[in-house]
Amino acid sequence: MTVDSLFKFHLGLLPPQAVTEDSNRLAVAYFAICGLELSGALPDVRPDILNSWARTVALNLVDYMAFRGSWSMNVGAPCVYDCPDIMGTLFALQVLTLLARRGSCDANATLQSINTAKTADWLRKCVQPDGSVAARVRDDGTPISEVDLRFTYAACAVQRLLHIDALDGDKIAAYIARCVAFDGGIGAFPGTEGHAGTTFCGLAALRLLDRDLTALPFVSTKRFLLNLQGSGFCGRIGKLEDTCYSFWVGGSLALLEIDRPPASLATEDDFLRRTEDKLTGGHSPHPDGQPDVMHSCLALAALALRENRFDPLTSLPTRDTT
Amino acid sequence: DIMSEQKRKNREKIDRFIELKERLFDSRDAGIYNDETVALTTSLLDLNPELYTAWNLRRDVLIALHGQSLNVKIVNEELLYVTKKLRAKPKIYWLWNYRKWLLQVDPSVISWDQELALVDMLLEADGRNFHGWAYRRFVIQCMENVQKTSLVDSELAYTEKHVKRNLSNYSAWFNRSQLISRLSKQTQDRSALFSKELELIKKAVFMDPFDESPWNYYRWVLSNFDDAERPGIVQNEIDELEELLEEEPDAVWCMETLTQLYSTYQPNTCATRAVQLLQGLVEKDPLRANEYKDLLAQ
């Protein structure tokens, strides 16, 4: 079994232990297919399989506008329980983009079928009065989810992938600035601890909105990020190192255009070797753990980032590799 | 054989989950809002507490059955149900969201001490659970609204308990930074407030100079003194840190902090010493060497 098998397995029937991922099927699809692209296996997948994946994703397209988070949420007609989701939309667009690049007609067709004017309207509704972004909203714009900087990133990346310009950049940038903690870390919402994942989301969103990252407070953000490395990277000060933070921190450093010294890269390589599963080739969060699609994909993405083969703005492999 | 037996069991579980989900959606489609629908959501959420649609539907059914202001009995039953789930899985957003909704239905009937006890339990189990800390701030805010008092002092005592037990608990220090910030806007004597805080964080920094967490907070505390007072305080700290460095020449965080203090507060007088420290850091902290080299170039 190789890491490709791990990725492909997750595109089929998931075991009961994964039931908590039922509302996240598109996230799983993204990690699996992005992983296959990064490991070089996607070009070898038969066109009819690529198309079947594209059609499965397309099942989640709601009103030709945006995507729900998972086909398991399909209740048969759009309603408040089955509405588009910002994360689902991002994952769907990422997957379809990758499949379209590999020649999937169904992926292309689905992308073309999206009414981007409607998507723009929906994106605007997701932005709350204080500049935060909710994952799901009612028709009148009231949120049916919490707000979180991950959704801010997703909204900006969706906008980029669809080549539309819907969002109020100033309002959103001001909100992100309020999420910067006293130590430079960026939290999920104002007043919470800085975290590598939401720091990535904040920085990427700002870059997607064409904001300048060279000024304060991002000088201390740089410090916050660099200090997260012990051998691998942690997500927060004083926490455990975890494979996935190689991506969130590595991506953040790339967005800040920071050159990492050789010692940093070598130490990280050592850590990633220790979290790699010798049998299957995938990665687990910590050494001697079970590999999973997310950590396997993000480990490959972190390494590709270092070689400029991965775009942290859209979180996709760069086009040059295709 | 074992493999096919396992597969059969898995298939059963998957089918059951799908069946429950479909029954739930059928009920919704038919507009059937009754206790059986609630029970369906319970079965589903027992299998998968992250199924947010089920949480949303549960709430809507309860409101449909009992009106917007659910009675105390229902609220308490629901709180108990969520508590059970939180004990098993304290990091699921939906559980916190649903609970927050319950608490805001009628804040005056909530046993807030019980809520605090719940957060306490979670933070005892994991002092770095930032959902827990964020939730605690929410609960405190609700309590202050209901009781019309300020709870800053008791919260300072609570966080002090946490940091004294574990100096490395950055989440507790972080929470303190917000409490102190809030107090500093209300108090007449900012100097006394921050001096006391400096004493507390200094103990942590000197007790274990190799632990990163306290140093960030230490620098933040120092930055809060008034311009008039700060030079004297900073000089005192610099003297003590230089002594510490003599005893522990490999204390990289100490070197980093000294460098920052020199370059922020004494840029003209101590350039040479700052350069020395940076050169030392390039050697002793190679993971971040480029950062130090950049600073040297300036």
Side-chain angles (χ1 to χ4, degrees), chain B residues 141-156:
Chain B
Q141 208 173 6
C142 290
M143 286 174 77
E144 288 180 331
N145 286 338
V146 167
Q147 296 167 9
K148 312 256 184 276
T149 56
S150 165
L151 294 168
V152 171
D153 288 326
S154 58
E155 280 305 280
L156 278 172

Side-chain angles (χ1 to χ4, degrees), chain B residues 231-284:
Chain B
I233 294 180
V234 167
Q235 185 57 56
N236 188 47
E237 295 308 306
I238 284 176
D239 292 338
E240 293 193 38
L241 290 181
E242 290 283 9
E243 271 179 37
L244 174 61
L245 196 53
E246 272 184 42
E247 286 169 48
E248 299 279 10
D250 290 330
V252 161
W253 305 119
C254 179
M255 290 170 74
E256 195 209 343
T257 297
L258 270 170
T259 314
Q260 279 200 27
L261 291 178
Y262 283 129
S263 53
T264 310
Y265 301 116
Q266 300 178 354
N268 302 316
T269 45
C270 295
T272 326
R273 178 60 183 144
V275 165
Q276 238 179 16
L277 286 166
L278 283 169
Q279 285 165 341
L281 281 167
V282 168
E283 261 184 58
K284 297 194 185 198

Side-chain angles (χ1 to χ4, degrees), chain A residues 200-253:
Chain A
F200 171 85
C201 290
L203 294 174
L206 288 168
R207 280 282 304 271
L208 284 161
L209 297 170
D210 294 318
R211 304 291 140 149
D212 176 26
L213 294 182
T214 56
L216 276 173
F218 305 113
V219 170
S220 52
T221 307
K222 186 167 74 159
R223 203 71 204 124
F224 169 81
L225 290 163
L226 290 171
N227 284 351
L228 288 173
Q229 183 168 24
S231 55
F233 285 94
C234 314
R236 286 187 282 153
I237 297 174
K239 295 282 288 181
L240 278 180
E241 292 156 6
D242 180 318
T243 303
C244 66
Y245 296 117
S246 278
F247 176 73
W248 305 118
V249 179
S252 300
L253 293 172

